[in-house]
Amino acid sequence: MNRLLIAVAVAALATQAAPTLASEGIPGATVRSDSGMAPADRKARFEQWCKDHPEKCREMKAKAEERREQCKADPEKCRAEAQARREQWCKDNPEKCREMKAKAQQRRDQCKADPEKCRAEAQARSRERFRKADTNGDGRISREEAQKGMPQLARDFDRIDANKDGMVTMEELEAARKARAGASKGKGA
């Protein structure tokens, strides 16, 4: 119950304190108006909001970090809560939900018809994200570069850094991805 209250508080803070993260006052809107924005643009907008509202930003980041720790402790509960939020969003936004599900199904069908093409596209996106995060261009990502450019990598940095040299290469990232995919297939079997 306490975790749910924290999640609600974080959501309320985000919608009240950060209009860039909420619907920006559109009557009856329950979706963000920036949903079509590129991730880099959303990030820049959020960083600007943090500069304009440093105290609220610190509070929001602290609550988000607390939530991440709670999810590490009880991932199943977090998955169930996320599923409930998605279901509620679909109830509140049935048209958008249908569109989103249709688009996802179309993509699944495309990938089923041509899995190699989908794999190649995903690998190209991954290489591009890696290249952008590698700010010094040495072909490796330090923990600092990961924190700035690939936050998910930063969270799993120690697990992915196979040779423990404090740097992650594209090969280590691919190996970790394959290991995770293999583990996922094993769970479903």
Side-chain angles (χ1 to χ4, degrees):
M1 185 63 172
N2 193 18
R3 290 179 184 156
L4 181 60
L5 290 174
I6 291 171
V8 170
V10 168
L13 178 63
T15 57
Q16 290 174 357
T20 60
L21 303 177
S23 63
E24 293 189 356
I26 300 169
T30 57
V31 254
R32 297 186 322 232
S33 63
D34 65 354
S35 60
M37 228 183 230
D41 294 337
R42 268 196 304 273
K43 183 178 179 183
R45 200 168 173 183
F46 178 72
E47 286 172 355
Q48 182 59 49
W49 180 83
C50 280
K51 286 178 184 174
D52 296 342
H53 306 89
E55 186 59 35
K56 289 179 182 178
C57 184
R58 275 192 295 279
E59 289 174 21
M60 192 166 68
K61 286 181 177 181
K63 287 180 181 179
E65 181 58 34
E66 182 179 346
R67 179 69 179 151
R68 273 192 290 277
E69 291 301 318
Q70 291 169 346
C71 287
K72 279 183 185 177
D74 193 352
E76 284 301 316
K77 183 176 180 181
C78 283
R79 278 191 279 278
E81 290 170 351
Q83 179 64 31
R85 284 190 305 273
R86 282 190 295 274
E87 289 171 2
Q88 185 60 49
W89 183 86
C90 279
K91 286 179 185 175
D92 294 343
N93 303 279
E95 185 65 30
K96 286 268 190 195
C97 186
R98 277 192 296 279
E99 289 172 16
M100 193 171 69
K101 286 181 178 181
K103 191 173 180 179
Q105 184 59 50
Q106 180 183 20
R107 182 64 180 161
R108 281 192 296 275
D109 292 343
Q110 288 171 345
C111 288
K112 193 173 186 180
D114 193 352
E116 286 303 313
K117 180 181 177 188
C118 285
R119 252 189 299 284
E121 290 170 352
Q123 287 173 344
R125 285 190 306 271
S126 178
R127 283 191 298 273
E128 181 61 19
R129 281 192 305 272
F130 189 93
R131 187 190 64 73
K132 286 182 178 179
D134 181 18
T135 56
N136 66 3
D138 67 353
R140 306 176 310 163
I141 295 182
S142 67
R143 189 179 301 273
E144 183 179 329
E145 287 172 321
Q147 288 169 340
K148 291 179 181 176
M150 296 180 80
Q152 181 65 43
L153 171 60
R155 284 191 284 280
D156 296 329
F157 195 90
D158 292 327
R159 182 180 57 82
I160 296 169
D161 181 16
N163 63 1
K164 307 300 179 205
D165 66 349
M167 305 295 270
V168 171
T169 63
M170 191 66 194
E171 291 76 22
E172 287 174 317
L173 189 59
E174 284 298 321
R177 189 173 287 123
K178 286 177 183 176
R180 194 177 89 211
S184 295
K185 287 179 183 177
K187 286 181 185 177

